[in-house]
């Protein structure tokens, strides 16, 4: 029994040593956390200094709200950057049945956006992202409209995440 306990203790010590060497190797490779420093880190402060310009339409309103929530710019001092977004929202019929009724739709939300340094007017990022969702068309018109709206809300959330990730990478490189 004592031999078994001693063997387990040596195994645990070896695991600890291997883990320590792995961490040392990881730190030597140049990787660093994107949001190092938490809310006071360089990337978080950069994101909080981004003002999101108004975006046209209901879909623009949804996307802008999602972006503002993620950027944390509420109550920040004068913005250092401006995010200009042009949005394209498209709803198209995919599945057509024999009686010419639509059974499936695809909603596509595309954003072309630019991150502009307010003081110099320099464009730091010019990118396009897009996402789509499939929607089943059912017998109830109300249910179909609700599904289309839900798809738009979900697409806005995911698209905002993609835009903020790209902004984070851009701001990190600028540091």
């Amino acid at each position: 029994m004592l031999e078994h306990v001693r063997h387990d203790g040596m195994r645990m010590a070896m695991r600890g040593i291997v883990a320590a060497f792995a961490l040392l190797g990881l730190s030597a490779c140049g990787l660093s956390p994107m949001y190092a420093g938490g809310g006071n880190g360089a990337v978080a402060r950069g994101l909080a200094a981004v003002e999101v310009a108004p975006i046209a339409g209901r879909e623009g309103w949804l996307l802008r709200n999602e972006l503002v929530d993620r950027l944390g710019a509420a109550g920040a001092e004068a913005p250092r950057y401006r995010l200009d977004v042009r949005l394209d929202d498209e709803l198209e019929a995919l599945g057509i049945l024999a009686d010419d009724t639509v059974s499936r739709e695809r909603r596509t939300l595309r954003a072309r956006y630019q991150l502009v340094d307010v003081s110099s007017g320099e464009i730091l990022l010019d990118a396009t992202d897009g996402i789509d969702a499939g929607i089943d068309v059912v017998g109830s018109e109300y249910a179909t409209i609700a599904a289309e709206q839900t798809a738009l809300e979900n697409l806005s959330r995911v698209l905002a995440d993609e835009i903020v990730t790209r902004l984070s990478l851009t701001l990190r490189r600028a540091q």
Side-chain angles (χ1 to χ4, degrees):
M1 176 83 159
L2 185 58
E3 183 70 29
H4 181 66
V5 170
R6 210 177 295 152
H7 186 65
D8 285 345
M10 292 227 356
R11 189 177 318 158
M12 297 270 287
M14 288 300 292
R15 285 183 185 161
I17 291 170
V18 169
F21 278 117
L23 288 174
L24 286 174
L26 184 60
S27 67
C29 75
L31 291 177
S32 63
M34 170 83 74
Y35 298 105
N40 293 324
V43 172
R45 284 193 319 268
L47 290 175
V50 175
E51 174 188 39
V52 182
I55 308 169
R58 180 178 189 279
E59 62 278 358
W61 178 81
L62 286 169
L63 180 62
R64 184 176 186 281
N65 286 342
E66 295 291 341
L67 287 167
V68 168
D69 287 348
R70 282 159 180 73
L71 293 172
E77 58 266 0
R80 184 172 174 199
Y81 308 102
R82 184 184 70 244
L83 181 64
D84 296 323
V85 181
R86 284 196 323 256
L87 204 54
D88 179 32
D89 178 26
E90 186 177 315
L91 187 63
E92 66 179 318
L94 284 180
I96 309 293
L97 299 176
D99 62 353
D100 286 335
T101 59
V102 176
S103 65
R104 189 119 173 105
E105 296 175 330
R106 177 173 53 199
R107 183 159 220 158
T108 304
L109 195 60
R110 284 189 192 89
R112 168 121 193 266
Y113 52 96
Q114 295 179 327
L115 181 65
V116 180
D117 187 321
V118 173
S119 62
S120 67
E122 177 186 2
I123 297 173
L124 303 173
L125 173 66
D126 187 355
T128 303
D129 278 316
I131 189 162
D132 62 23
I135 302 165
D136 288 328
V137 177
V138 294
S140 166
E141 187 175 333
Y142 174 78
T144 300
I145 292 170
E148 292 169 354
Q149 295 306 311
T150 300
L152 178 59
E153 292 167 8
N154 292 337
L155 292 173
S156 296
R157 278 188 214 102
V158 174
L159 189 56
D161 287 339
E162 290 181 10
I163 291 171
V164 170
T165 298
R166 185 118 26 141
L167 291 176
S168 298
L169 291 170
T170 300
L171 293 172
R172 183 171 182 219
R173 278 191 295 261
Q175 300 301 323

